[in-house]
Amino acid sequence: MTHLVPLAKEVDDDKVTPGVLGFIVFAVMALAVWGLMKSMNKHMRKVDFKDPESDAEPEKKSENESVSRS
């Protein structure tokens, strides 16, 4: 294991960069997240958030009010 130490000394800390491959991977991940967000927004627009029970409640309330007024 001590024979690997000189190899580590040859690497200059100032010259180590992610390079082109790192940029490409980051760009692909950013495009994937953008596509997923766009798809999620498309699907969320289709969702009906109204509860079917809450739609029936105003009808029952109006019926109860008309009965109590009579």
Side-chain angles (χ1 to χ4, degrees):
M1 182 142 167
T2 57
H3 60 281
L4 295 176
V5 174
L7 293 175
K9 294 289 182 180
E10 293 176 14
V11 177
D12 187 11
D13 290 337
D14 296 330
K15 293 184 181 179
V16 176
T17 62
V20 177
L21 180 62
F23 175 75
I24 291 171
V25 169
F26 181 78
V28 168
M29 288 174 55
L31 286 173
V33 169
W34 177 77
L36 287 172
M37 292 295 290
K38 189 171 180 179
S39 175
M40 182 188 70
N41 283 333
K42 179 180 168 184
H43 287 284
M44 291 298 281
R45 284 189 199 114
K46 294 179 183 179
V47 175
D48 184 20
F49 289 105
K50 294 181 181 176
D51 195 14
E53 294 175 4
S54 66
D55 290 340
E57 287 178 12
E59 295 173 2
K60 290 180 182 178
K61 288 181 182 177
S62 62
E63 289 174 6
N64 289 339
E65 289 175 359
S66 63
V67 170
S68 63
R69 290 182 185 173
S70 308

